[in-house]
Amino acid sequence: MVRVYAVTDWQGDTTSDARPPQGDAAIYAVIIACLLENPVLALVNNFAFTLNASIVAGVQLMVTLAAVAVIAMRRPHLSRMFVGACCLFLFCALLKFIVTGSFNPRFLYDAAMLPLFLAFGASARKFSPQFLAVIVIVLMVTAIVELVFPDLYAEVLNPRKYFYFTRDWVAAVTAPDASIASSSDIYLGSTRYTGSFFGAAHRAGSLLLEPLSLGYMGIISAIFFVHARATTGDKTILVVACILLAILSDTRVAVFLILAAVLARNVVGKARTPWLLATPYLLLLTVVGLSLALHTDRKSTRLNSSH
């Protein structure tokens, strides 16, 4: 005999769910651990003792195992198409090793994160939009503080020192400098040599410490808010906040992917003309083309001015 439990969504509607009613506290805890992992480790590295890549990898593995434990306990309902797509994705990652003739376990681990955390997200019974909204607001406020008080942000979290000692590739592209241990600075890639596209002093990393992750967070959050059951006003405010995250991180692709997600949901998703499905991708290609043209123009201007 199957018991059907009612799951109440954001607007108070009910949908049937054959699984027992359980809270999502464990899922929220893992998400918070993922968000606070780098800033907490950065604080330890800055004020307690110097970390290394092995320690950080160990912490990441513990968080990953916690996510795996949640998936194992919740046993989320995954479609055959999703499982097939995940298997194909991982097969392509393994195929890379066969073609290149070299095995990189770190690459395989990173590749597995995408399907793993998609399954982790599917484990939620009723994910709270308010929970994600608080996270977005905290990230946005921290990013603004970072841009207004960059010296204070660097002095407290010191992303440059943290990534130098815990990321081999950062150390590899950074000239050996004994002053790194006693100095403070923002993330290595926070400053573009061509200048900020959106006019900020540098690319904000907020609590995630580096700008690309902040931009990706904006994309993921915007997609969730676009599909959440909420009033148009609430959706607009939350999506604008996600766009602001992408702008503060100076990640152009993130900004236009958010706009494409909104367009796909509100315009293309309701259109009957099949070719309109390509509209977001055409917009993205246009933006990338304009960015490349602008970059080429800036480069030629610098070359001409040097003669």
Side-chain angles (χ1 to χ4, degrees), residues 45-291:
N45 184 74
N46 197 28
F47 296 105
F49 56 89
T50 301
L51 302 177
N52 55 47
S54 298
I55 295 176
V56 174
V59 174
Q60 291 175 343
L61 181 60
M62 286 191 294
V63 175
T64 302
L65 291 176
V68 172
V70 171
I71 296 172
M73 290 187 295
R74 289 297 184 89
R75 291 174 294 177
H77 300 307
L78 303 175
S79 67
R80 292 181 180 178
M81 182 177 295
F82 173 80
V83 175
C86 291
C87 292
L88 179 61
F89 178 77
L90 293 177
F91 172 76
C92 291
L94 292 174
L95 188 62
K96 172 185 178 295
F97 301 140
I98 298 175
V99 173
T100 59
S102 61
F103 179 74
N104 186 343
R106 179 68 195 191
F107 177 84
L108 183 61
Y109 174 83
D110 292 340
M113 289 302 97
L114 177 60
L116 174 67
F117 275 89
L118 285 175
F120 172 76
S123 302
R125 298 295 190 263
K126 189 194 104 176
F127 192 82
S128 170
Q130 291 93 332
F131 173 79
L132 186 58
V134 170
I135 291 177
V136 169
I137 292 172
V138 169
L139 290 174
M140 184 173 60
V141 170
T142 306
I144 294 173
V145 171
E146 173 189 350
L147 292 174
V148 176
F149 305 104
D151 293 337
L152 175 63
Y153 174 84
E155 184 178 349
V156 173
L157 293 175
N158 204 348
R160 180 171 178 257
K161 177 182 176 182
Y162 170 66
F163 285 112
Y164 179 82
F165 286 108
T166 62
R167 303 298 191 274
D168 294 335
W169 69 269
V170 174
V173 300
T174 305
D177 187 356
S179 66
I180 291 180
S182 58
S183 62
S184 60
D185 204 347
I186 56 178
Y187 175 65
L188 179 66
S190 294
T191 305
R192 297 183 189 271
Y193 72 92
T194 56
S196 174
F197 185 82
F198 293 107
H202 68 270
R203 306 173 67 194
S206 188
L207 289 178
L208 304 180
L209 302 188
E210 52 92 11
L212 283 180
S213 294
L214 187 62
Y216 295 153
M217 185 66 188
I219 297 172
I220 295 171
S221 301
I223 292 174
F224 176 81
F225 290 138
V226 164
H227 292 273
R229 293 190 177 184
T231 63
T232 302
D234 290 339
K235 284 187 178 183
T236 301
I237 293 173
L238 294 172
V239 171
V240 168
C242 294
I243 294 175
L244 184 57
L245 279 186
I247 291 176
L248 293 174
S249 69
D250 199 49
T251 309
R252 289 163 285 186
V253 173
V255 173
F256 291 102
L257 281 179
I258 293 174
L259 296 176
V262 174
L263 181 64
R265 173 65 173 175
N266 296 311
V267 178
V268 180
K270 299 178 181 179
R272 295 183 179 181
T273 308
W275 64 266
L276 283 178
L277 293 174
T279 301
Y281 304 99
L282 292 175
L283 288 175
L284 179 60
L285 288 174
T286 302
V287 170
V288 171
L290 291 175
S291 299

